[in-house]
Amino acid sequence: MSLLTLGCARNEVDSEELAGRLGEGGWELVDEGADADVVVVNTCGFVEQAKKDSVDTLLAASDTGAKVVAVGCMAERYGKELADSLPEAAAVLGFDQYNDLAERLNDVLHGKPVESHVPVDRRTLLPITPVKRQDAKDSVQVPGHGWGPTKTPRKRLDDAPVAPLKIASGCDRRCSFCAIPSFRGAFVSRHPDEIVSEAMWLAENGVKELFLVSENSTSYGKDLPREQGALEQLLPRLASIPAIERVRVSYLQPAETKPSLVAAIAKTDKVANYFDMSFQHSSENVLRRMRRFGDTDSFLKLVWQIREHAPEAGIRSNFIVGFPGETEEDLAELERFLTEARLDAVGIFGYSDEDGTEAENLDGKLDTDTIAERVQRIGNLVEELTSQRAEDRVGTEVVVLIEHEEDEESDCVGRAEHQAPEVDGECIVLEGEDLKRGDFVRCRVVDSEGVDLVVEVIEVLAT
């Protein structure tokens, strides 16, 4: 059996849970590209391109002659509809079938019919009141919850020195453009002891950096007792684990980011000065139509608050342009925010309708040419601004986690505190032939290439 993972870091965690479950069920995992009787594809269903990539991967896996099984977000979101339109898939399974996945693969292998998943709105499966969800969550299959080193072991699928660690699942927000809550469900936190236990296991298996993931990390703990429940309380516990040298938080909602959380991230030893803020836009008009809160000035105030605590902090975000009803004035407001905020990394996405969302039925839709023009316009501005931000770091010192050793074909490459895995650029380390994967190295920035930094080694830090 082979396992292919598409999408975000949350999906990577889910795949390692599935690998653990399948191993316990007697399945042997082989490397991607090796001969396999069954290929499990952990799909992504977030945006149109991700769905296309998932379908293409399923079709390519089928071309190998293996039995193909679709799991993950796209399978959960579309279920039988996906199965009917994609007969190449031997089975389309939802989250509720993860406990029995090994048995379902046995059925697939032996040609037994497997009933396709029938989607439901997963927000309806847990109580509306957050504090009642902890008692009810054991009756609902929530990927990444209720398992760990003392239950179903997580099986690492690579030996990277960084690993995602899920702290919560689901989302209670009702952003008009987003379908994720309908198939990921209501927000529910993992118990901090369970998170710490898994983090310790990861540290024992070679991990140096923990990348905390969820759909909304700023909501962590709202469904837990007060003495257990804040992210500010969890961070020091994780940072104190032997062998863990860096803890990174992802996906913060600006409207929920309290000053105490900003201070905890900025001031807690070994927690990266990194703020992954979900701004999405800065025009108050557009944000209200998105069913979100804030405006340019309040967002700038948050950015300045972060930099008062940590001037070199990395701040990144994603933005949607071309949202229904977006005017030239709204776009100019976004440009004002981006110009003054000077973020380190920015993703720009053109609006497209998502099945079952409120925005799908909003008036004021813009044509595709206008959206494409605005994506190009804002994208060009972002490229210039983020390159300038990287240039500003020339002459400063950064601590780099080495991820790729130097060889005849590639440079020694790592990431500084302000650079998350895969999305925020990297550090190219000069004369790094003696460095090993997993080393932490104090470096001086000598040049920049776009958002990437060129650095020279000052010293290898003891870990």
Side-chain angles (χ1 to χ4, degrees):
M1 178 271 300
S2 67
L3 178 57
L4 308 181
T5 306
L6 302 172
C8 64
R10 298 184 294 274
N11 252 20
E12 294 176 20
V13 176
D14 292 350
S15 284
E16 295 195 347
E17 173 190 358
L18 294 178
R21 291 185 184 278
L22 291 169
E24 284 197 333
W27 283 87
E28 180 183 354
L29 184 66
V30 300
D31 293 335
E32 182 177 345
D35 289 339
D37 297 318
V38 179
V39 177
V40 178
V41 181
N42 190 357
T43 61
C44 178
F46 180 40
V47 293
E48 197 59 39
Q49 184 59 51
K51 289 182 276 191
K52 181 181 183 300
D53 291 344
S54 293
V55 170
D56 289 346
T57 302
L58 289 162
L59 292 173
S62 176
D63 288 343
T64 67
K67 304 277 190 179
V68 178
V69 175
V71 298
C73 289
M74 189 176 183
E76 175 64 37
R77 184 176 181 183
Y78 294 103
K80 191 173 186 305
E81 178 185 345
L82 176 63
D84 290 344
S85 64
L86 196 71
E88 291 85 354
V92 175
L93 306 178
F95 298 150
D96 291 331
Q97 293 158 301
Y98 279 13
N99 279 337
D100 304 318
L101 187 60
E103 295 177 27
R104 298 292 76 78
L105 295 195
N106 284 328
D107 291 340
V108 166
L109 186 62
H110 294 99
K112 297 180 181 178
V114 176
E115 186 174 349
S116 297
H117 166 64
V118 177
V120 299
D121 186 335
R122 296 191 72 83
R123 290 171 292 192
T124 65
L125 302 182
L126 287 169
I128 294 176
T129 305
V131 294
K132 295 182 178 180
R133 292 176 190 164
Q134 289 294 316
D135 292 334
K137 73 176 185 179
D138 289 342
S139 64
V140 177
Q141 182 65 31
V142 183
H145 288 245
W147 64 279
T150 61
K151 299 175 183 178
T152 300
R154 173 177 175 175
K155 179 178 175 60
R156 295 212 66 203
L157 297 178
D158 61 36
D159 60 353
V162 58
L165 174 60
K166 187 176 288 190
I167 63 172
S169 289
C171 186
D172 289 341
R173 301 181 71 88
R174 294 296 181 266
C175 302
S176 63
F177 57 85
C178 184
I180 289 175
S182 66
F183 57 86
R184 276 291 184 177
F187 182 89
V188 58
S189 304
R190 293 180 71 191
H191 192 281
D193 290 346
E194 184 180 307
I195 296 171
V196 171
S197 176
E198 185 177 338
M200 293 174 67
W201 177 83
L202 289 169
E204 291 166 0
N205 283 271
V207 171
K208 301 290 186 68
E209 178 179 322
L210 300 172
F211 186 30
L212 308 188
V213 299
S214 71
E215 277 75 27
N216 177 6
S217 296
T218 35
S219 283
Y220 178 76
K222 74 176 187 178
D223 52 334
L224 294 169
R226 180 169 297 183
E227 64 271 14
Q228 298 174 351
L231 188 55
E232 295 95 310
Q233 295 167 267
L234 177 64
L235 292 175
R237 293 185 63 185
L238 294 173
S240 67
I241 295 172
I244 294 299
E245 296 298 328
R246 183 183 286 166
V247 179
R248 183 182 304 277
V249 183
S250 71
Y251 215 79
L252 305 173
Q253 290 290 343
E256 298 178 30
T257 301
K258 299 177 293 185
S260 60
L261 178 58
V262 173
I265 293 174
K267 301 300 183 183
T268 304
D269 187 38
K270 295 189 178 181
V271 174
N273 283 325
Y274 176 81
F275 295 80
D276 176 15
M277 307 301 306
S278 177
F279 289 121
Q280 301 301 343
H281 211 283
S282 75
S283 162
E284 185 175 14
N285 169 58
V286 174
L287 288 166
R288 293 302 174 271
R289 288 173 68 84
M290 289 179 168
R291 293 202 178 278
R292 295 175 65 84
F293 303 95
D295 55 32
T296 297
D297 291 333
S298 66
F299 288 171
L300 285 173
K301 183 179 178 180
L302 177 57
V303 169
W304 295 330
Q305 181 186 54
I306 290 169
R307 290 194 171 132
E308 282 178 6
H309 282 288
E312 300 301 322
I315 308 175
R316 70 109 53 222
S317 192
N318 294 322
F319 297 87
I320 300 172
V321 297
F323 194 79
E326 182 189 66
T327 65
E328 279 291 332
E329 290 76 14
D330 296 324
L331 203 65
E333 192 69 0
L334 176 57
E335 289 173 323
R336 179 169 80 89
F337 172 72
L338 290 168
T339 301
E340 295 187 33
R342 298 180 65 80
L343 306 179
D344 292 85
V346 176
I348 301 296
F349 299 89
Y351 171 80
S352 62
D353 287 336
E354 277 296 309
D355 299 336
T357 62
E358 180 184 350
E360 190 179 19
N361 298 312
L362 288 177
D363 58 11
K365 295 284 179 66
L366 305 181
D367 62 72
T368 55
D369 288 343
T370 299
I371 293 174
E373 184 276 328
R374 292 185 178 185
V375 169
Q376 185 67 45
R377 171 177 158 184
I378 300 299
N380 288 342
L381 175 63
V382 160
E383 184 175 359
E384 178 183 354
L385 292 171
T386 54
S387 294
Q388 290 174 0
R389 176 68 175 161
E391 289 173 9
D392 290 343
R393 294 187 183 273
V394 174
T396 66
E397 292 185 5
V398 293
V399 175
V400 176
L401 169 61
I402 302 301
E403 294 190 312
H404 303 288
E405 299 174 13
E406 184 175 301
D407 58 31
E408 294 180 358
E409 298 180 356
S410 64
D411 296 314
C412 181
V413 173
R415 290 179 298 102
E417 266 193 274
H418 70 283
Q419 297 169 321
E422 299 181 3
V423 294
D424 295 334
E426 58 191 17
C427 291
I428 301 164
V429 185
L430 301 177
E431 299 182 4
E433 60 271 11
D434 294 329
L435 299 176
K436 305 185 299 299
R437 195 179 196 197
D439 282 345
F440 274 87
V441 187
R442 189 163 65 90
C443 299
R444 181 176 291 106
V445 182
V446 297
D447 201 357
S448 64
E449 299 176 359
V451 296
D452 295 336
L453 303 181
V454 180
V455 302
E456 58 183 16
V457 177
I458 298 174
E459 64 172 331
V460 179
L461 301 175
T463 57

